[in-house]
């Protein structure tokens, strides 16, 4: 290391009551520390002090603490910084000239616990590939590297997902054979948590969705004098698409995240490992009750969301001059079996997807608080993504079989 | 008010340790990806002994325990129970073999949605044909054995750390297992509670005759319970020493073992 630029003559420094003087004496720099040192008053900079060294570079650093008053950790902090700086400049500090208490504190801060030494040795002994992987995370990678890393992690993620699909399928197979080791009693708890407890938010969101649809439709219909069609339009939209989608999105946000957090916490506290060692398949014991609960809950919530949305549409219609009788008469035309049941049919499949997304993210969760948070977030994202994809598939399918 | 903790006093009994291996570990190598934790582990655990796996933090003690109970697959080597290869067995066969295991986890790992009684009852419900009354009586006995009589209807969140450990021990003993695996039983406990747990472990071995494998780095636990101790050496990534802890502390040729057991600088 190069030495800092030197200035001629001795230097001084003072911050608060803490005072420093540096002078050269027979080839050694003498640092005179005096006054009261307090972390509340601040203390001088070690680097700035070294810059005040005289032209003839000293080889050693000695301390004169005869006039030192009271001090706290500000003094050892300054000295530690000074020792580091002086070593990089090739100056050998003589800590023996410091007061014994200060010397002991410095020795303590310089000591490295054996466990830390072992950890450093372990890192040094880590294979080059592993170190490179760590470095890759620390150093910003190129676009191609990022794509590569993302691709590999995606493939691994798919591997886990397929494994979990297999386990869930086997658990469902055992359930239909009556051999699943699950706690059906827990289903009631999950039905209440995902169904009854979600009613207020489903009511609000669905009612407002119907209201918004009605307003948008009314503005268009008004231009052609067909405002009477607003109510059937809202009913059709709610029953076929929006009711089930709104209920599903709410369950993704409320229930899938809760499932992921619950199972993730169980991973952290080794509860799932305990089940595994006991010979109880965790998927049957933990995932099936949650999945069964959602399969019962979502269709009911879907019908309820349809009702709330239609109510919102009727309210807008009546406020725009369309009578309730007119609206109900027009709605009768769209109240067909395919229209009413299409949302319910989809909701059964969506329920499986939402429960699966939440449970999957929880079961593959890491073992830290942050991992549990990540699992909950990704459960919501995965759930909503799967629901939208599945809805698109159903749209194509219903069109193909003319289910209108 | 719940009843107060029951203090167990251990009356020394000459343990029956059979000179036949109950568990054999052959050429076991443990790894996380490319990072080898321990390599070429070869040792045997005798039937009826209290066998301690010890070593510094991060040396792989708990990882070894996870390999012994089949929660992790080894990179190489195998674990044998009563001469049968546990590592190579099918998952179904492993489940059957695990009926002879009881595991107490470092965190207790009690199922938080179940009461203490339900926690202890679950293994009995899953693996026996006992009636509800019989299960209830066994559960009460097991909880009383660990000083938790009267706490049957409590949930894990309502009890202290020491009680969680004891409840976990009760659950691990539910099926009267041949082998008890205890992961850091004294971790996070005050010295008095830790000592009580040590006494409990000795009593369980003496009364039930189970083989007990304890993972710990706490010297007090090691000297209190171990018939033999295995030292995992983080420097060489293999076994550092195997023997009675006092003998190892005084005579081990490995300085790291002597240092670990004497806790000198």
């Amino acid at each position: 290391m190069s030495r800092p630029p030197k200035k001629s003559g001795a230097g001084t420094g003072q911050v608060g009551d803490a005072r420093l003087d540096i002078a050269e004496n027979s080839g050694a720099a003498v640092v005179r520390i005096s006054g009261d040192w307090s972390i509340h008053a601040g203390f001088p900079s070690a680097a700035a002090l070294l810059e005040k060294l005289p032209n003839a570079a000293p080889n050693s650093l000695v301390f004169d603490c005869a006039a030192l008053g009271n001090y706290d950790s500000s003094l050892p902090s300054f000295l530690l910084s000074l020792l580091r700086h002086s070593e990089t400049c090739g100056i050998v500090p003589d800590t023996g000239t410091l007061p014994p208490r200060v010397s002991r504190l410095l020795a303590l801060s310089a000591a490295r616990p054996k466990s830390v030494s072992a950890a450093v040795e372990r890192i040094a002994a880590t294979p080059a590939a592993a170190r490179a992987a760590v470095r890759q995370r620390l150093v910003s990678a190129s676009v191609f590297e990022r794509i590569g890393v993302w691709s590999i992690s995606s493939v691994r993620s798919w591997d886990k997902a397929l494994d979990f699909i297999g386990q869930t399928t086997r658990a469902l197979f055992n359930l239909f054979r009556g051999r699943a080791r699950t706690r059906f009693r827990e289903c009631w708890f999950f039905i209440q948590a995902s169904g009854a407890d979600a009613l207020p938010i489903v009511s609000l969101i669905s009612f407002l969705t119907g209201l918004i649809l009605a307003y948008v439709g009314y503005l268009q219909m008004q231009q052609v004098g067909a405002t009477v069609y607003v109510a059937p339009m809202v009913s059709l939209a709610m029953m076929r698409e929006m009711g089930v989608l709104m209920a599903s999105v709410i369950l993704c946000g409320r229930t899938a995240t809760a499932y992921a957090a619950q199972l993730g916490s169980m991973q952290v506290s080794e509860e799932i490992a305990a089940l595994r060692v006991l010979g109880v398949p965790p998927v049957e014991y933990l995932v099936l009750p949650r999945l069964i609960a959602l399969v019962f809950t979502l269709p009911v919530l879907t019908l309820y969301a349809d009702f709330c949305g239609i109510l919102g549409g009727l309210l807008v219609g009546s406020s725009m001059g369309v009578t309730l009788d007119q609206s109900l008469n027009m709605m009768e035309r769209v109240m067909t079996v395919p229209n009413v049941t299409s949302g319910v049919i989809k909701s059964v499949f969506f329920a499986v997807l939402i429960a699966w997304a939440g449970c999957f993210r929880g079961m593959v969760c890491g073992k830290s608080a942050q991992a549990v948070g990540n699992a909950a977030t990704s459960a919501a994202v995965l759930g909503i993504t799967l629901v939208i994809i599945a809805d698109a598939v159903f749209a194509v399918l219903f069109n193909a079989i003319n289910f209108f | 008010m719940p009843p107060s903790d029951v203090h167990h006093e251990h009356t020394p009994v000459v343990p029956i340790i059979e000179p036949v291996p109950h568990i054999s570990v052959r050429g076991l190598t443990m790894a996380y990806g490319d990072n080898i934790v321990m390599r070429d582990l070869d040792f045997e655990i005798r039937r009826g002994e209290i066998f301690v796996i010890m070593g510094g933090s991060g040396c792989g003690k708990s990882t070894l325990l996870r390999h012994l109970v089949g929660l992790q697959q080894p990179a190489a080597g195998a674990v044998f129970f009563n001469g049968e290869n546990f590592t190579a067995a099918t998952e179904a066969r492993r489940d059957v073999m695990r009926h002879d295991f009881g595991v107490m986890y470092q965190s207790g790992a009690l199922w938080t949605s179940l009461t203490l009684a339900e926690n202890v009852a679950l293994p009995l419900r899953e693996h026996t044909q006992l009636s509800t009354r019989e299960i209830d009586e066994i559960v009460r006995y097991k909880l009383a054995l660990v000083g938790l009589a009267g706490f049957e209807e409590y949930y894990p969140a309502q009890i202290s750390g020491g009680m969680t450990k004891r409840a976990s021990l009760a659950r691990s003993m539910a099926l009267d297992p041949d082998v008890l695996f205890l992961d850091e039983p004294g971790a996070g406990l005050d010295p008095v509670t830790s000592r009580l747990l040590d006494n409990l472990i000795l009593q369980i071995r003496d009364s039930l005759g189970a083989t007990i494998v304890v993972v710990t780095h706490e010297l007090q636990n090691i000297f209190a319970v171990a018939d033999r101790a295995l030292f995992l050496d983080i420097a060489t990534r293999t076994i550092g020493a195997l023997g009675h802890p006092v003998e190892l502390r005084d005579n081990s040729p490995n300085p790291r073992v002597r240092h670990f057991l004497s806790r000198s600088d």
Side-chain angles (χ1 to χ4, degrees):
Chain A
M1 284 293 278
S2 62
R3 288 166 185 255
K6 299 179 184 76
K7 294 173 183 172
S8 57
T12 58
Q14 180 159 4
V15 175
D17 291 335
R19 186 174 169 79
L20 275 176
D21 299 286
I22 190 162
E24 197 187 352
N25 185 8
S26 315
V30 181
V31 178
R32 189 164 179 275
I33 303 170
S34 56
D36 293 332
W37 288 62
S38 165
I39 52 170
H40 301 294
F43 52 91
S45 151
L49 180 76
L50 286 179
E51 283 182 9
K52 292 171 183 166
L53 279 174
N55 269 336
N59 295 319
S60 62
L61 201 63
V62 294
F63 299 93
D64 174 8
C65 300
L68 177 62
N70 295 323
Y71 62 88
D72 55 18
S73 57
S74 59
L75 180 59
S77 304
F78 161 77
L79 287 170
L80 191 65
S81 173
L82 180 65
L83 298 188
R84 285 184 182 146
H85 277 91
S86 59
E87 276 172 16
T88 57
C89 297
I91 303 170
V92 181
D94 179 8
T95 53
T97 52
L98 287 167
R101 250 183 79 201
V102 178
S103 293
R104 278 199 299 273
L105 285 170
L106 281 177
L108 196 64
S109 59
R112 194 167 63 177
K114 285 191 166 66
S115 58
V116 176
S117 304
V120 172
E121 283 167 23
R122 211 162 48 238
I123 290 165
T126 307
R131 283 207 303 278
V134 173
R135 210 179 306 123
Q136 194 165 11
R137 263 184 268 152
L138 298 175
V139 179
S140 59
S142 72
V143 174
F144 293 109
E145 280 177 295
R146 282 166 195 262
I147 292 171
V149 169
W150 178 82
S151 306
I152 290 166
S153 67
S154 298
V155 169
R156 284 184 185 152
S157 179
W158 272 103
D159 194 33
K160 286 180 186 170
L162 288 173
D163 182 47
F164 191 67
I165 289 171
Q167 288 184 49
T168 313
T169 309
R170 192 168 61 181
L172 284 170
F173 186 62
N174 284 341
L175 178 72
F176 291 128
R177 287 196 306 168
R179 291 176 57 183
R181 290 147 89 174
T182 191
R183 293 180 80 214
F184 291 104
R185 205 178 56 178
E186 289 224 322
C187 291
W188 293 112
F189 167 76
F190 292 120
I191 285 173
Q192 178 176 341
S194 61
D197 293 352
L199 282 179
I201 186 76
V202 171
S203 311
L204 179 71
I205 299 289
S206 306
F207 180 80
L208 291 179
T209 304
L211 201 110
I212 293 162
L213 284 174
Y215 268 116
V216 172
Y218 180 80
L219 291 173
Q220 299 302 314
M221 300 293 186
Q222 196 183 29
Q223 292 175 17
V224 292
T227 51
V228 75
Y229 286 103
V230 169
M233 186 206 74
V234 171
S235 306
L236 190 66
M238 287 306 298
M239 287 187 297
R240 290 200 71 96
E241 293 295 339
M242 296 312 290
V244 66
L245 275 181
M246 286 297 113
S248 298
V249 168
I250 290 166
L251 285 201
C252 284
R254 274 189 94 251
T255 311
T257 51
Y259 287 178
Q262 287 160 7
L263 298 179
S265 302
M266 292 179 80
Q267 282 282 14
V268 174
S269 61
E270 296 182 299
E271 290 174 53
I272 291 176
L275 276 177
R276 207 164 269 146
V277 170
L278 193 60
V280 178
V283 172
E284 289 184 13
Y285 197 78
L286 300 171
V287 175
L288 281 188
R290 288 168 169 82
L291 195 147
I292 292 166
L294 274 202
V295 166
F296 279 104
T297 304
L298 191 53
V300 178
L301 281 182
T302 298
L303 286 173
Y304 181 68
D306 294 349
F307 171 75
C308 292
I310 291 169
L311 211 62
L314 286 175
L315 189 75
V316 172
S318 58
S319 69
M320 300 295 178
V322 183
T323 65
L324 189 63
D325 276 349
Q326 280 176 313
S327 293
L328 291 176
N329 281 338
M330 295 304 289
M331 274 169 57
E332 261 185 49
R333 299 182 188 184
V334 293
M335 290 286 180
T336 61
V337 171
N339 285 343
V340 174
T341 56
S342 65
V344 178
I345 292 169
K346 286 194 282 189
S347 70
V348 175
F349 291 91
F350 291 179
V352 174
L353 293 176
I354 294 166
W356 182 86
C359 294
F360 168 61
R361 286 302 181 192
M363 295 292 278
V364 299
C365 174
K367 294 200 168 179
S368 66
Q370 192 184 357
V372 175
N374 290 344
T377 308
S378 56
V381 174
L382 180 64
I384 292 170
T385 310
L386 289 177
V387 164
I388 301 292
I389 291 171
D391 196 39
V393 171
F394 271 109
V396 174
L397 192 70
F398 285 167
N399 188 49
I401 63 171
N402 206 19
F403 191 66
F404 290 108
Chain B
M1 279 292 287
S4 61
D5 287 1
V6 175
H7 287 236
H8 296 269
E9 288 303 326
H10 177 242
T11 311
V13 178
V14 179
I16 304 164
I17 302 173
E18 297 175 25
V20 291
H22 193 173
I23 304 167
S24 304
V25 174
R26 295 278 167 259
L28 190 78
T29 295
M30 309 184 294
Y32 288 103
D34 293 334
N35 191 15
I36 290 175
V37 180
M38 283 282 151
R39 64 169 73 87
D40 300 326
L41 302 182
D42 266 296
F43 61 92
E44 288 174 346
I45 300 171
R46 297 168 193 155
R47 184 176 286 279
E49 78 172 333
I50 299 180
F51 187 86
V52 169
I53 298 168
M54 61 183 184
S57 299
C59 73
K61 303 184 293 292
S62 294
T63 306
L64 175 56
L65 187 127
R66 291 175 71 81
H67 279 76
L68 292 180
V69 299
L71 283 173
Q72 269 180 252
Q73 276 294 96
V79 178
F80 294 81
F81 284 94
N82 296 320
E84 184 176 353
N85 191 332
F86 179 68
T87 308
T90 62
E91 196 56 37
R93 178 61 193 149
R94 275 200 223 185
D95 280 347
V96 173
M97 291 170 81
R98 283 190 187 118
H99 293 180
D100 293 334
F101 297 0
V103 185
M104 175 183 153
Y105 296 87
Q106 193 171 349
S107 59
L110 294 176
W111 296 300
T112 46
S113 60
L114 307 183
T115 62
L116 298 193
E118 288 171 332
N119 262 281
V120 181
L122 185 64
L124 295 161
R125 287 214 183 88
E126 287 296 327
H127 298 305
T128 69
Q129 303 297 320
L130 295 171
S131 67
T132 308
R133 179 195 58 78
E134 289 164 326
I135 288 176
D136 186 52
E137 284 174 11
I138 292 172
V139 165
R140 284 178 188 282
Y141 166 68
K142 298 286 180 184
L143 284 172
L145 204 62
V146 296
L148 288 176
F151 286 90
E152 289 83 2
E153 299 311 314
Y154 279 62
Y155 282 90
Q158 296 173 303
I159 59 175
S160 71
M163 291 160 80
T164 301
K165 294 257 179 182
R166 280 186 280 151
S168 180
L169 184 60
R171 185 182 68 184
S172 66
M173 293 189 306
L175 289 166
D176 288 345
D178 274 356
V179 197
L180 263 178
F181 295 95
L182 312 179
D183 191 3
E184 304 277 8
L189 300 182
D190 65 81
V192 176
T193 313
S194 180
R195 181 67 192 153
L196 287 173
L197 206 59
D198 288 342
N199 285 339
L200 194 57
I201 292 166
L202 289 165
Q203 283 182 331
I204 289 164
R205 190 274 302 274
D206 294 344
S207 54
L208 300 180
T211 303
I212 300 180
V213 181
V214 183
V215 164
T216 185
H217 60 241
E218 299 198 17
L219 295 187
Q220 217 174 9
N221 300 134
I222 295 167
F223 287 111
V225 301
D227 293 316
R228 286 192 308 150
L230 173 84
F231 180 78
L232 295 181
D233 195 339
I234 195 167
T236 57
R237 290 167 194 271
T238 190
I239 294 174
L242 175 60
H244 191 276
V246 176
E247 196 179 308
L248 294 179
R249 182 192 60 196
D250 297 339
N251 302 317
S252 173
N254 187 335
R256 285 184 294 274
V257 178
R258 292 198 307 273
H259 171 241
F260 179 85
L261 286 170
S262 58
R263 201 186 262 170
S264 59
D265 292 326

